Amino acid sequence: MSEDSPPPDSPQPPTIAVDAMGGDHAPAEIVAGAIAAAAADHGMSIVLTGRPSQLRPLLGTHRGGGDIRVAPADELVAMDEGALASWRRPRSSVAVACQLVRRGQAAAVVSAGSTAGIVATARLRLRSLPGLLRPGLAVALPTGPKPTLLVDAGAIADPRPEMMVQFAQLGVAYAQVAYGVEDPRVGLLTIGAEPLKGNKLARRAHELLAAPPHGGQPIRFTGNIEGSDLLAGKVDVVVTDGFTGNVALKTIEGAGGFATELTRAALQGSQAARFGTLFQRRALRELAGRMDSETYGGAALLGLEGTVVIAHGDAKAKGIASACRLAADLARGHITERIRERLGPSHRAGHFLRRQ
């Protein structure tokens, strides 16, 4: 934690640093979403990072825009740029947002920019928590009655088994803070429920997750789950590597969009179907909201000295507002301190998890 940061029990409302230049619809939709979030949550303050010449005219077109501060940033990380952009763009809007958190001038970062660029920039600008091998990307899946968290959703494509144990700790802390799940159930995503199913990574990760705690707090590991279980609500936290997690997430998003289009076509296919739809409007709205990725705010990059929320690249104002609310909730819940507690005393490069 920065020396300038308020203590964990400080009543000071969280300030969210929003990368106004990242995303397919930046900066107009980013500005609109940030203003909407600040208007809905008067305990949150917003600072936009980006080019003042573009942002201040946009702020002037919205009621309440005058209350939003702007931190100048000369550059931006384009959506098609990867991790190396974090080195080439030291004054990018997302880098400036991370610097505000590191200096204690903001509690969290929100960006809809390139995921690879955001992860690389955040890892460069914000220190990892002591003992953490790699940060993990946590995404909420639309299960009921509460979302299921998927970790890792794309930050680390080729993790070591020890990292996946830490991903479980990240997910447990997130579920406790964001959704009030006291003792989250953790499952490992692989190709079968039996302990020996999967590749070498999955088998070793299962072994470590099933073992007694080694320095960190206990994990309620319930065993392996398969892809068909992702939306079944069997567990509260799904642990996997970033490659598999990202493929699973994109598959769910694609299948959800496909199912939505089929449902819409069926409901409009005949006069009788359209008439029946009138009596199901409320249920259909609730279903649409549950499947809408913009409802959940995006993915949280966990394990750094500061909270980072990555909104969907094509997020509009609604999605950015949701991302700001998620970032504020995680900051208020002291997610960084909760993760620090779950990891336990600082370790050296994960030796505490290696075989004797």
Side-chain angles (χ1 to χ4, degrees):
M1 182 179 295
S2 168
E3 295 179 358
D4 297 327
S5 300
D9 58 352
S10 172
Q12 181 177 338
T15 296
I16 310 302
V18 180
D19 168 18
M21 311 307 292
D24 295 335
H25 304 288
E29 291 290 335
I30 312 299
V31 171
I35 292 174
D41 185 347
H42 298 290
M44 176 202 315
S45 61
I46 299 286
V47 54
L48 297 174
T49 62
R51 295 168 179 161
S53 60
Q54 292 180 256
L55 299 182
R56 291 202 170 105
L58 289 171
L59 289 170
T61 64
H62 293 273
R63 183 178 180 181
D67 298 328
I68 306 294
R69 293 179 292 139
V70 175
D74 305 325
E75 301 173 310
L76 62 91
V77 176
M79 294 299 289
D80 58 351
E81 291 188 285
L84 290 178
S86 61
W87 297 93
R88 294 194 298 263
R89 309 273 190 273
R91 287 293 301 169
S92 69
S93 50
V94 67
V96 171
C98 289
Q99 282 297 103
L100 292 175
V101 172
R102 182 162 183 171
R103 293 171 184 164
Q105 298 170 352
V109 174
V110 168
S111 178
S114 160
T115 298
I118 296 167
V119 171
T121 301
R123 288 183 60 193
L124 179 65
R125 305 291 171 181
L126 300 173
R127 292 182 294 269
S128 293
L129 291 174
L132 188 82
L133 299 171
R134 291 289 189 277
L137 202 58
V139 174
L141 303 179
T143 57
K146 294 182 179 181
T148 296
L149 296 171
L150 175 69
V151 192
D152 176 34
I156 307 298
D158 296 299
R160 303 208 308 266
E162 295 87 353
M163 297 177 191
M164 294 175 68
V165 177
Q166 293 190 337
F167 292 164
Q169 296 286 19
L170 300 180
V172 167
Y174 188 155
Q176 290 173 334
V177 169
Y179 302 116
V181 183
E182 184 176 347
D183 188 18
R185 300 160 298 169
V186 176
L188 176 67
L189 181 61
T190 184
I191 59 172
E194 298 82 4
L196 297 179
K197 286 285 188 176
N199 56 17
K200 291 182 180 179
L201 173 64
R203 294 197 301 271
R204 178 58 178 152
H206 185 284
E207 181 182 339
L208 293 175
L209 286 165
H214 300 270
Q217 294 185 7
I219 296 169
R220 185 183 172 189
F221 180 56
T222 61
N224 291 344
I225 67 167
E226 300 179 74
S228 57
D229 300 321
L230 283 173
L231 300 180
K234 290 185 176 182
V235 295
D236 303 296
V237 177
V238 176
V239 175
T240 187
D241 62 273
F243 180 87
T244 303
N246 193 264
V247 171
L249 177 63
K250 296 296 174 60
T251 301
I252 290 172
E253 290 178 348
F258 179 67
T260 299
E261 290 302 317
L262 287 181
T263 302
R264 181 179 293 113
L267 293 176
Q268 297 175 352
S270 67
Q271 184 175 355
R274 290 192 294 271
F275 181 74
T277 302
L278 296 176
F279 298 96
Q280 299 294 331
R281 284 180 296 179
R282 180 177 178 180
L284 290 171
R285 280 198 300 269
E286 290 176 353
L287 177 61
R290 184 170 163 185
M291 297 300 296
D292 186 358
S293 61
E294 295 203 337
T295 301
Y296 296 93
L301 183 63
L302 305 173
L304 302 174
E305 292 278 9
T307 300
V308 179
V309 173
I310 304 176
H312 208 285
D314 65 354
K316 294 189 177 180
K318 178 183 175 182
I320 298 303
S322 296
C324 291
R325 288 193 294 270
L326 173 60
D329 288 344
L330 292 176
R332 291 189 185 104
H334 310 300
I335 184 67
T336 300
E337 293 304 317
R338 184 68 65 90
I339 292 171
R340 195 192 306 271
E341 293 169 2
R342 291 210 60 85
L343 291 175
S346 179
H347 334 287
R348 289 184 178 273
H351 288 289
F352 72 106
L353 288 173
R354 292 181 182 173
R355 291 175 177 164
Q356 299 297 320

